[in-house]
Every structure is written in C-alpha cells, then in structure tokens.
Amino acid sequence: MANSNLYKGSLQTIILKLLNENDKMYGYEITQKVKRITDNELNITEGALYPALHKLEAEGLLEVEVEKVDNRIRKYYRLTEPGQKETINRLQELEDFIKNMQVIVNSRLA
C-alpha cells in the first residue's frame, strides 16, 4: 500500500499538516517524517513530493526559505497565513471523508 492512489490524493493535505506541526521543513525531511510516522507504510517519492510542493507554493499556501547548510543550498517550506487556513479546511474535509467512508465500509450493503 506504500504508493496507493488513496495516499496520492491526500499528499497535499499530508504536506500541509506536517508543515503546520513543524513550522518549516525541507523536502527530504518531509519524506522521512512520513516514513517514520507510518512505520514505512507510506513512501513519498521525490517525483510526487516536489510537484506537490511547487503547486502549493504557486497557490500561495507555502513560502520558500533558502539556507546554506554544510555548503549545500536547502529549501525550507513553511505555511503562509492562507496556507494555515487552508490546512484547517482540508483536514476537516479529510476527517469528514474518513467518517463517511467508515460508515460505508462498516455498513451492510442492501
């Protein structure tokens, strides 16, 4: 289930939630945090992560801060004020969706 379409559809929400909880993060840090908290069940590839980060940035939900770390340039992503509001909205939508899915999965279909 590591690269399920269900996860792919939730990638932006996952990113927003992590940034909401961690102030700022860089791409590799995001992938490793997701692996750690899901016990390696979810593996976010760079090919999926960076387009999602760029899309969120283009929408004005993220801002980028560039720092030099160990002679390397590292891009840190953080939520903008609209990004913080959008995170709350998306998490509520996801919670509602999960509740509805639980009702459907746990009900007997007639």
Side-chain angles (χ1 to χ4, degrees), residues 7-17 51-53 55-56 59 61 90:
Y7 286 128
K8 289 177 186 172
S10 304
L11 180 56
Q12 288 185 9
T13 304
I14 291 167
I15 293 167
L16 292 171
K17 181 172 186 340
L53 287 168
K55 186 172 188 317
L56 291 167
E59 292 173 359
L61 303 178
R90 290 192 190 193

Side-chain angles (χ1 to χ4, degrees), residues 37-55:
I37 62 179
T38 63
D39 289 327
N40 292 315
E41 283 292 316
L42 179 56
N43 180 27
I44 299 174
T45 64
E46 289 182 14
L49 177 68
Y50 287 102
L53 287 168
H54 296 151
K55 186 172 188 317

Side-chain angles (χ1 to χ4, degrees), residues 32 43 50 58 83 98 109-110:
Q32 295 309 297
N43 180 27
Y50 287 102
I98 290 168
L109 300 176

Side-chain angles (χ1 to χ4, degrees), residues 18-78:
L18 287 174
L19 291 173
N20 189 53
E21 293 176 348
N22 295 282
D23 185 40
K24 67 178 184 177
M25 298 177 81
Y26 57 96
Y28 181 75
E29 183 179 19
I30 292 169
T31 64
Q32 295 309 297
K33 179 84 168 184
V34 169
K35 283 174 76 171
R36 189 169 49 254
I37 62 179
T38 63
D39 289 327
N40 292 315
E41 283 292 316
L42 179 56
N43 180 27
I44 299 174
T45 64
E46 289 182 14
L49 177 68
Y50 287 102
L53 287 168
H54 296 151
K55 186 172 188 317
L56 291 167
E57 182 184 1
E59 292 173 359
L61 303 178
L62 300 183
E63 60 187 12
V64 177
E65 179 182 315
V66 178
E67 288 183 20
K68 191 170 185 177
V69 178
D70 297 328
N71 287 328
R72 296 177 63 195
I73 299 297
R74 183 176 285 169
K75 283 186 176 182
Y76 284 94
Y77 298 88
R78 76 168 19 137

